[in-house]
Amino acid sequence: MPKLYIEGKHQLNGEIEVQGAKNSVLPLLAATFLCSGISVIKNCPWLLDVESSLKILTHLGCECKFEDNTVTVNATNAKNCDIPEELMREMRSSVMFLGAILGRMKRAVISSPGGCELGPRPIDLHISALKKLGANVKEDHGFLEFDSGDGLKGCEITLGFPSVGATENIILSAATASGTTVIRNAAREPEISDLADFLNSAGARIYGCGSDTVIIHGVKALNGVTHTVIPDRIAAATYMAAAAVTEGELTLKNVMPSHFVSISSVFENMGCKIEPIGKSLKIWAPKKLKRVPTVRTLVYPGFPTDAGPVLMAALSVAKGTSVFVENIFENRYRYTDELNRLGAKIKTEAKVAVIEGVDNLSAAKCHCTDLRGGAALVVAALAASGTTEIDKIEHIKRGYENISENLRRLGAVAYEE
Ligand code: UD1
């Protein structure tokens, strides 16, 4: 994998079309496996995680094609019900396929996804929900085997935490179960509504997404449909942070401003001017960013954990000291050591990070510890004097499409070599 080089201190200006949401497209691709027939997913970004999802679908017996940001999946001849271990390792979100495989094949075998870069990421909520829906679960030598006999049966599930992935897996498995499933304390993220919109146009009967109670009346079968992925609110936040640290002026096209009100308000607190114009959003950065009152990550519609790293990179060059509290994942601050290599002054202790704004960052060699941590390094490098070398950019490519080309088009000096 090449490295990413960014020469900082170039102002970003102009317009950018924001990519389709990574966190929507992965469950949507899993959902195509539930549909007998051909599904077409438009506005699909080309990401390493999308490539991994297509490998899983192909293994399961689907014919997949990607062209011009459109994926076509023909799931007519589904034949397998397992996800090979190497594909599970490529992408933790492959757990998203569990509900769809079980729904379609009545059996699913995956290897345990284990821990990863954000600390332990258990799937206990997914497993206990599937058990409630009637799946028998066996664990053997790191493999999890799910069997639903003659099919899953609708039930009431109350989640102990409104997990995004668990809510999506329950929706996927209950869509073709017999009877009605009710999820209480469901996650409310827009990506969940996107999944329900896809499934409903394929023939499912899912109600209440976007609220904390989701009702799914199981249907016998789903057919293939055409669907357009919602815009990526985290990619949008990343480009906002990039504009903010370069005193830039950007128009983000193809966004849903209502999806990131909590993000916009923090940028406004930093002194940015933000104006939603229909499906676009314009941001003007001030000469010097300001510190912000304590930011806490929360489930939607609170401040999203995935936007934390890029915000912290921006706060590194703000006037004054800011405090950030990470409430969703236990071990999300590994990238702060890398930001500090560029001269940021960030101290972390458990959930809390204290960011003392500095006048200048300066280029250094650094590496991505995870996807959003990598994006934070890009933002910091844009603000730093000199040329920063960023290694392990495969993390960034899991979630950002054409990031260096996009930045160059906006006036940055960024190249991969
Ligand atoms: C999804 C997003 C991820 C985002 C996260 C939170 C995708 C592909 N990924 O991840 O980018 O950071 O939502 O908005 O959409 N938990 C359990 N047991 C479980 C499941 C989750 O304890 O069975 C805990 C997790 O460890 C974590 C918290 O719940 O502390 C949130 O996880 P969850 O909402 O499930 O996130 P993901 O779906 O993995």
Side-chain angles (χ1 to χ4, degrees), residues 23 92-93 121-126 163-165 305-306 328-329:
N23 288 353
R92 185 197 185 266
S93 310
R121 294 181 80 173
I123 57 163
D124 54 316
L125 298 171
H126 304 237
S163 152
V164 176
T305 174
D306 286 355
I328 309 295
F329 289 108

Side-chain angles (χ1 to χ4, degrees), residues 129-130 132-133 155-159 170 181-185:
L130 291 172
K132 253 199 134 181
L133 282 155
C155 65
E156 294 227 356
I157 298 164
T158 301
L159 290 174
I170 299 169
T181 300
V182 180
I183 316 173
R184 298 193 200 285
N185 198 24

Side-chain angles (χ1 to χ4, degrees), residues 22-24 26-27 49 92-93 95-96 118-127 161-166 168 187 189 191 233-234 298-300 304-306 327-330 332 371-372:
K22 163 190 163 286
N23 288 353
S24 252
L26 302 183
D49 276 8
R92 185 197 185 266
S93 310
V95 75
M96 234 40 274
L118 310 181
R121 294 181 80 173
I123 57 163
D124 54 316
L125 298 171
H126 304 237
I127 295 174
F161 178 87
S163 152
V164 176
E168 291 168 338
E189 270 67 2
E191 292 76 20
R233 58 201 168 98
I234 307 302
L298 288 170
V299 295
Y300 189 81
T305 174
D306 286 355
N327 289 312
I328 309 295
F329 289 108
E330 269 175 44
R332 202 157 192 173
L371 164 57
R372 306 300 172 187

